[in-house]
């Protein structure tokens, strides 16, 4: 151990014991030292507080640079349906949403949408919190298993869209782009997470290999022909990277291509993928499946090796110890003849795996990442339609179905096949679909019996879609309806209460150009107690209509943009409209509001943010205070007027600043959170300083022009006088 002296900001020195450079505590020491510097440096501390504030509001997103690379290779466009299979914590989802909104005009919505999924409930909540800052109506957050994500194929013989008052424009859930950022061992994050040194072992990657293949194959089956999927991990283990990509290419044949993107993002420093590697299992290096003992073959699979070929050892080839007994180590592993690394003959893949990308930390001072870009050229091989044939046999022979179900249940620890898929899903694509037969217990337990779908469920589904419940039904059925399709998850229903919708339209003067029909969502089946109304884009509306049509296969955790919220105060119940416009939904609906809207000067707008409540007579602009007093009681919108023209804005753009307020009997109350008020005040002060500086500059230019004009006139008069004298 040797000591390290470092100079602090106040000129003093701190001394610490520095461990060896390779030891992980060295990274932790540097991290702690940087925090100490941050606390003592007031400039850095203010900058850190600024970052936290802007991140909380959603103006910026703090994210490791290397983790932003995979979405860039997706080539996302505003009209694309994008699927983020393992989305939490949500930074890449946020990035994808920004891309589809990039060329969208202010006040309008893009034609595309993003579906973000994560299996873990807590991570799903984190995902919702992260994406909530985007304030988007083009997002659906689901809580399904990625490897068994439902395809939502509508059955032509099932309940008609007219019966449910839904006209979905799509008959199957397919995506233009899929981001497959799978769970991995995470050894590429060692720099920012030094604790990984204590947790990591080779078995972590080996254990995730099969799951990664299943998720990737499911993503390809949900991808449109011609679409692009990016497979990525934050691991450098070939078993999780090139081995998975190679197995995908083998399974899909020529229907999927590994795209060469070496010419894209030329400034990104990357290394090509590897075509040969060994597999590590505990204390052994394995070059091919031939080297795997029979005791290892239940967890060391052929797909982990470059060739992907399996090897079955002859019965008489069992290795024997010198005394004639089989040589088995203490941990149960039977070594092979070629146990030494020098004698192993490495396999080399014949697939173009060099088209993959490896981003290593020491090339450009970043984290490590593996990226592979895949394009779907045609439907996946027909061999994968075998599960469909099995299901057709089940229809013709129910007894055979029962016997096979019993056998599958015994072999798979109680797992049952997805019974609903027999009636509403025609499987046409590959290997991952076969897994759905035996690996979908959660959905199967909750699905209705296909024989009862036609009549009873169509009526119940219609009631759910309309947001109504039949009080004449049995108590048990009503409880199931109120509970929603998925236990513990609020139901997702189209909001169709015409009285409330008409009151909102009339109160705010919303013009007919703003689409309401089928775009409003509630999460409460009791329409008399709806607290929040959400707004969704047309693309999300179509997906939701399809989800109803197929029996709500998607477990939706969050959907759309909170547009209206019920005001439960005493004044709120006495107003013509009890629903106020939420801050999240205001930018979308603002261009379409014609009533309950006022334009304030920058001074009065700033005072509203500072004092939160101002009486009508206390506004600097007396005319504004008089107009405010004449508004109907309830929610209103205050827009900051342009200080240069002092005219009401004719159109809303990205620079428009507006807030929601509550018009009371004698004052205006701001209905914005404290953190949003703080951010708006800072933005307003910056704008006012910029305008002040520009006005000073203009005045200076005008003064200079006057001086120049005056000097030229003096010279002209003197010249005229000289000519006259001559």
């Amino acid at each position: 151990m040797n000591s390290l002296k470092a100079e602090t900001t106040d000129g003093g020195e701190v001394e610490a014991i520095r461990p060896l450079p390779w030891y992980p505590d060295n990274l932790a020491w540097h991290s702690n030292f940087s925090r100490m510097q941050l606390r003592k440096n007031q400039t850095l501390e203010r900058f850190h507080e600024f970052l936290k504030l802007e991140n909380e509001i959603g103006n910026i997103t703090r994210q490791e640079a290397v983790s932003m690379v995979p979405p860039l290779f997706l080539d996302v466009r505003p009209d694309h349906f994008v699927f983020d299979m393992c989305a939490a914590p949500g930074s890449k989802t946020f990035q994808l949403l920004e891309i589809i909104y990039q060329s969208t005009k202010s006040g309008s919505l893009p034609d595309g949408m993003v579906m973000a999924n994560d299996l873990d409930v807590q991570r799903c909540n984190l995902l919702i919190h992260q994406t909530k800052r985007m304030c988007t109506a083009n997002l659906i957050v689901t809580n399904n298993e990625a490897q068994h994500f439902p395809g939502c194929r509508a059955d032509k013989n099932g309940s008609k869209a007219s019966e449910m008052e839904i006209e979905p424009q799509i008959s199957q859930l397919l995506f233009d782009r899929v981001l497959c950022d799978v769970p991995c061992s995470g050894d590429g994050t060692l720099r920012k997470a030094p604790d990984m040194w204590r947790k990591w072992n080779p078995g972590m990657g080996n254990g995730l290999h099969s799951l990664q293949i299943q998720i990737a194959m499911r993503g390809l089956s949900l991808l449109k022909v011609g679409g692009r999927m990016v497979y990525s991990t934050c691991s450098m283990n070939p078993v999780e990277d090139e081995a998975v990509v190679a197995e995908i290419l083998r399974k899909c044949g020529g229907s999927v291509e590994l795209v060469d993107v070496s010419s894209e993002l030329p400034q990104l420093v990357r290394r090509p993928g590897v075509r040969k590697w060994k597999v590590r299992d505990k204390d052994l290096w394995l070059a091919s499946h031939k080297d795997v003992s029979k005791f290892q073959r239940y967890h060391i699979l052929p797909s982990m090796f470059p060739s992907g070929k399996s090897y079955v050892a002859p019965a008489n080839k069992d290795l024997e110890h010198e005394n004639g007994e089989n040589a088995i180590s203490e941990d149960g592993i039977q070594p092979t003849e070629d146990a030494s690394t020098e004698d192993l003959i490495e396999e080399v893949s014949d697939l173009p795996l060099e088209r993959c990308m490896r981003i290593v930390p020491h090339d450009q001072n970043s984290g490590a990442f593996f990226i592979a870009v895949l394009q779907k050229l045609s439907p996946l091989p027909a061999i994968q339609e075998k599960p469909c044939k099995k299901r057709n046999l089940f229809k013709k022979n129910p007894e055979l179905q029962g016997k096979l179900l019993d056998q599958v249940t015994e072999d798979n620890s109680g797992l049952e096949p997805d019974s609903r898929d027999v009636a509403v899903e025609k499987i046409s694509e590959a290997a991952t679909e076969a897994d759905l037969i035996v690996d979908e217990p959660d959905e199967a337990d909750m699905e209705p019996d296909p024989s009862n779908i036609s009549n009873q469920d169509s009526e119940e589904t219609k009631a759910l879609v309309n947001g109504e419940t039949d009080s004449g039904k049995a108590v048990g059925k009503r409880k199931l309806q109120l509970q929603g399709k998925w236990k513990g998850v609020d139901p997702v229903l189209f909001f169709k209460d015409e009285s409330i919708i008409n009151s909102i339209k009339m109160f705010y003067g919303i013009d007919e150009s703003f689409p309401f029909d089928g775009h409003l969502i509630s999460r409460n089946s009791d329409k008399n107690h709806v607290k929040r109304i959400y707004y969704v884009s047309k693309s999300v509306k179509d997906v939701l209509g399809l989800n109803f049509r197929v029996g709500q296969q998607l477990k939706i955790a969050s959907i759309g943009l909170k547009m209206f919220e019920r005001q439960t105060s005493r004044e709120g119940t006495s107003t013509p409209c009890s629903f106020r416009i939420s801050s999240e939904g205001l930018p979308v609906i603002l261009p379409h509001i014609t009533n309950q809207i006022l334009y304030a000067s920058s001074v009065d707008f700033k005072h509203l943010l500072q004092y939160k409540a101002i009486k009508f007579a206390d506004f600097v602009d007396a005319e504004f205070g008089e107009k405010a007093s004449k508004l109907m009681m309830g929610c209103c919108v205050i827009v900051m007027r342009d200080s240069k023209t002092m005219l009401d804005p004719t159109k809303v753009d990205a620079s428009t600043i507006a807030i929601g307020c509550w018009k009371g009997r004698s004052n205006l109350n701001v209905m914005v959170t404290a953190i949003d008020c703080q951010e708006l005040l800072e933005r307003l002060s910056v704008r006012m300083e910029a305008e002040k500086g520009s006005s000073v500059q203009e005045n200076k230019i005008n003064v200079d022009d006057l001086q120049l004009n005056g000097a030229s006139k003096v010279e002209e008069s003197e010249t005229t006088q000289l000519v006259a004298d001559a």
Side-chain angles (χ1 to χ4, degrees):
M1 294 286 183
N2 57 341
S3 63
L4 171 71
K5 290 186 178 181
E7 186 175 348
T8 60
T9 54
D10 57 358
E13 288 185 344
V14 293
E15 184 171 346
I17 301 299
R18 180 174 62 187
L20 294 175
W22 55 266
Y23 195 69
D25 286 342
N26 194 25
L27 295 175
W29 185 90
H30 282 293
S31 177
N32 293 332
F33 185 72
S34 63
R35 291 192 186 96
M36 183 172 61
Q37 284 183 319
L38 180 65
R39 294 189 186 100
K40 290 189 176 183
N41 191 314
Q42 294 182 356
T43 303
L44 291 177
E45 179 67 20
R46 287 197 300 271
F47 179 65
H48 186 241
E49 292 298 324
F50 164 79
L51 288 179
K52 290 196 298 183
L53 174 64
E54 297 297 318
N55 183 76
E56 182 67 25
I57 294 170
N59 291 337
I60 63 174
T61 298
R62 292 187 292 171
Q63 184 181 5
E64 190 178 13
V66 70
S67 66
M68 299 176 67
V69 175
L72 298 178
F73 285 104
L74 274 176
D75 188 26
V76 176
R77 299 171 190 171
D79 60 336
H80 279 169
F81 278 46
V82 186
F83 183 29
D84 192 352
M85 299 190 74
C86 308
S91 299
K92 294 182 182 66
T93 305
F94 200 98
Q95 186 180 351
L96 292 170
L97 286 168
E98 286 183 329
I99 294 174
I100 68 170
Y101 270 88
Q102 208 164 27
S103 58
T104 305
K105 295 181 181 179
S106 179
S108 60
L109 298 174
D111 295 329
M113 55 89 66
V114 176
M115 182 171 289
N117 177 73
D118 203 273
L119 173 62
D120 187 86
V121 176
Q122 292 183 349
R123 287 173 60 85
C124 208
N125 291 332
L126 178 60
L127 169 62
I128 295 170
H129 175 74
Q130 289 274 43
T131 54
K132 185 180 178 181
R133 301 177 295 122
M134 184 68 185
C135 298
T136 175
N138 297 67
L139 174 68
I140 301 177
V141 178
T142 57
N143 188 209
N144 294 81
E145 288 184 332
Q147 70 272 30
H148 302 142
F149 198 86
C152 296
R153 294 174 179 83
D155 184 15
K156 295 181 181 179
N157 298 323
S159 55
K160 297 180 180 179
S162 59
E163 293 177 355
M164 298 185 297
E165 299 185 10
I166 300 176
E167 297 181 359
Q169 302 296 319
I170 53 178
S171 59
Q172 183 179 351
L173 186 58
L174 294 175
F175 299 93
D176 301 280
R177 298 289 186 266
V178 174
L179 178 60
C180 187
D181 188 41
V182 297
C184 63
S185 59
D187 55 63
T189 63
L190 287 170
R191 277 192 168 191
K192 69 175 184 180
D195 195 51
M196 280 292 299
W197 284 104
R198 300 179 179 89
K199 299 178 181 178
W200 184 88
N201 63 76
M204 295 171 65
N206 297 343
L208 290 169
H209 174 78
S210 296
L211 176 63
Q212 291 163 344
I213 293 175
Q214 291 176 23
I215 294 175
M217 288 299 299
R218 188 58 185 152
L220 287 171
S221 67
L222 294 170
L223 185 66
K224 294 179 181 178
V225 174
R228 177 178 283 196
M229 184 181 88
V230 169
Y231 174 85
S232 62
T233 72
C234 54
S235 171
M236 291 288 97
N237 188 348
V239 173
E240 303 177 74
D241 300 339
E242 286 87 355
V244 174
V245 174
E247 183 64 13
I248 291 171
L249 296 175
R250 285 190 290 265
K251 282 179 175 289
C252 297
S255 60
V256 173
E257 176 190 16
L258 184 57
V259 183
D260 183 5
V261 290
S262 57
S263 60
E264 299 181 23
L265 301 180
Q267 294 183 344
L268 177 67
V269 181
R270 71 199 86 175
R271 300 190 182 192
V274 297
R275 297 179 61 184
K276 60 180 182 178
W277 62 87
K278 301 185 185 74
V279 177
R280 182 75 173 176
D281 182 47
K282 297 187 178 178
D283 58 343
L284 296 177
W285 283 105
L286 306 170
S288 69
H289 194 248
K290 183 178 180 180
D291 302 318
V292 181
S293 67
K294 63 180 181 181
F295 296 98
Q296 297 171 288
R297 289 184 182 175
Y298 71 96
H299 65 277
I300 302 297
L301 308 176
S303 58
M304 296 180 180
F305 297 93
S307 69
K309 297 178 181 178
S310 61
Y311 174 77
V312 179
N316 59 354
K317 287 290 184 180
D318 291 338
L319 297 177
E320 296 183 356
H321 203 264
E322 293 180 356
N323 58 6
E325 298 177 356
N326 288 341
I328 302 176
S329 60
E330 294 180 358
D331 54 6
I333 297 178
Q334 180 177 355
T336 62
E337 293 177 353
D338 301 325
S340 61
T341 307
E342 293 79 3
D343 296 335
L344 295 178
I345 301 176
E346 289 186 283
E347 293 182 349
V348 179
S349 176
D350 57 353
L351 299 169
L353 298 178
E354 67 277 0
R355 296 180 183 177
C356 302
M357 286 173 285
R358 286 177 161 265
I359 302 175
V360 295
H362 45 279
D363 277 348
Q364 49 197 348
N365 192 26
S366 67
F369 238 82
F370 173 84
I371 302 168
V373 182
L374 300 161
Q375 187 167 6
K376 190 173 182 178
L377 305 178
S378 61
L380 299 189
I383 190 174
Q384 297 174 10
E385 295 181 0
K386 289 182 179 179
C388 184
K389 295 179 181 178
K390 289 182 180 179
R391 297 182 182 194
N392 290 332
L393 288 174
F394 291 162
K395 290 182 181 180
K396 298 178 181 178
N397 193 344
E399 295 181 0
L400 176 61
Q401 179 185 8
K403 293 179 181 179
L404 290 177
L405 287 181
D406 294 339
Q407 183 179 356
V408 169
T409 304
E410 294 176 0
D411 295 341
N412 294 278
S413 303
L415 300 181
E416 295 181 3
D418 190 349
S419 58
R420 173 188 38 78
D421 283 355
V422 179
V424 299
E425 185 170 343
K426 292 184 179 179
I427 297 181
S428 61
E429 293 193 321
T432 52
E433 297 283 5
D435 296 335
L436 290 174
I437 299 179
V438 295
D439 291 333
E440 227 169 355
D442 295 337
E443 293 185 29
D445 291 341
M446 306 180 68
E447 301 298 346
D449 185 1
S451 61
N452 298 328
I453 288 179
S454 56
N455 297 322
Q456 296 179 359
D457 285 0
S458 62
E459 297 178 1
E460 293 180 8
T461 305
K462 182 177 178 181
L464 283 171
V465 173
N466 294 331
E468 301 172 355
T469 56
D470 189 355
S471 58
K473 299 287 184 182
V475 177
K477 289 186 177 180
R478 185 171 67 251
K479 285 184 177 179
L480 286 174
Q481 281 189 348
L482 293 173
Q483 194 177 39
K485 167 68 178 176
W486 299 89
K487 186 175 181 180
V489 179
D490 293 331
V492 179
L493 310 168
F494 284 103
F495 185 77
K496 295 189 175 183
D497 191 327
E498 294 296 334
S499 60
I500 294 178
I501 294 175
N502 290 333
S503 69
I504 291 174
K505 284 183 177 181
M506 293 180 62
F507 185 75
Y508 296 106
I510 300 173
D511 55 44
E512 295 298 327
S513 62
F514 188 73
F516 261 99
D517 187 24
H519 291 264
L520 299 180
I521 303 296
S522 71
R523 303 300 300 266
N524 190 342
S525 55
D526 186 359
K527 65 180 181 181
N528 297 321
H529 294 87
V530 172
K531 294 182 179 179
R532 300 175 186 87
I533 301 175
Y534 299 85
Y535 187 83
V536 297
S537 65
K538 182 182 181 302
S539 54
V540 173
K541 169 193 169 185
D542 292 340
V543 172
L544 188 57
L546 175 64
N547 188 43
F548 276 113
R549 189 176 178 185
V550 299
Q552 302 186 62
Q553 298 177 21
L554 298 176
K555 185 179 180 182
I556 298 176
S558 176
I559 187 170
L561 172 68
K562 185 171 70 174
M563 183 67 73
F564 304 106
E565 194 164 6
R566 188 186 293 272
Q567 188 69 15
T568 56
S569 63
R570 182 180 299 177
E571 288 186 352
T573 56
S574 60
T575 59
C577 179
S578 57
F579 282 86
R580 63 180 180 88
I581 301 174
S582 70
S583 299
E584 296 94 325
L586 182 57
V588 175
I589 202 172
L590 180 60
H592 307 277
I593 298 176
T594 58
N595 298 336
Q596 295 292 107
I597 184 169
L598 289 178
Y599 301 90
S601 64
S602 57
V603 176
D604 284 330
F605 197 89
K606 185 177 180 179
H607 287 171
L608 276 171
L609 294 174
Q610 286 177 332
Y611 304 116
K612 306 297 187 298
I614 299 179
K615 293 184 178 180
F616 302 134
D618 294 341
F619 284 103
V620 176
D621 186 355
E623 184 181 357
F624 173 79
E626 184 179 353
K627 289 181 179 179
S629 64
K630 294 179 180 179
L631 291 174
M632 288 186 290
M633 186 177 294
C635 178
C636 62
V637 178
I638 308 298
V639 183
M640 192 180 78
R641 188 188 296 123
D642 189 352
S643 60
K644 291 183 179 180
T645 61
M646 296 302 292
L647 298 175
D648 296 347
T650 57
K651 62 179 182 178
V652 176
D653 54 24
S655 63
T656 304
I657 299 179
I659 57 174
C661 294
W662 186 266
K663 190 263 179 181
R665 291 184 175 85
S666 60
N667 57 10
L668 277 182
N669 295 278
V670 175
M671 305 184 75
V672 180
T673 61
I675 190 170
D676 285 336
C677 280
Q678 182 182 350
E679 189 270 339
L680 285 172
L681 280 171
E682 292 182 0
R683 196 199 311 180
L684 191 60
S685 61
V686 171
R687 177 180 290 193
M688 293 175 71
E689 288 178 4
E691 292 174 351
K692 184 178 179 180
S694 62
S695 62
V696 170
Q697 186 69 20
E698 289 177 1
N699 292 335
K700 184 178 179 181
I701 292 173
N702 293 333
V703 170
D704 292 341
D705 290 341
L706 289 173
Q707 291 176 350
L708 289 173
N709 292 334
S712 61
K713 289 181 179 179
V714 170
E715 290 180 0
E716 184 179 353
S717 62
E718 290 178 353
T719 304
T720 304
Q721 184 66 31
L722 289 173
V723 171
D725 293 341

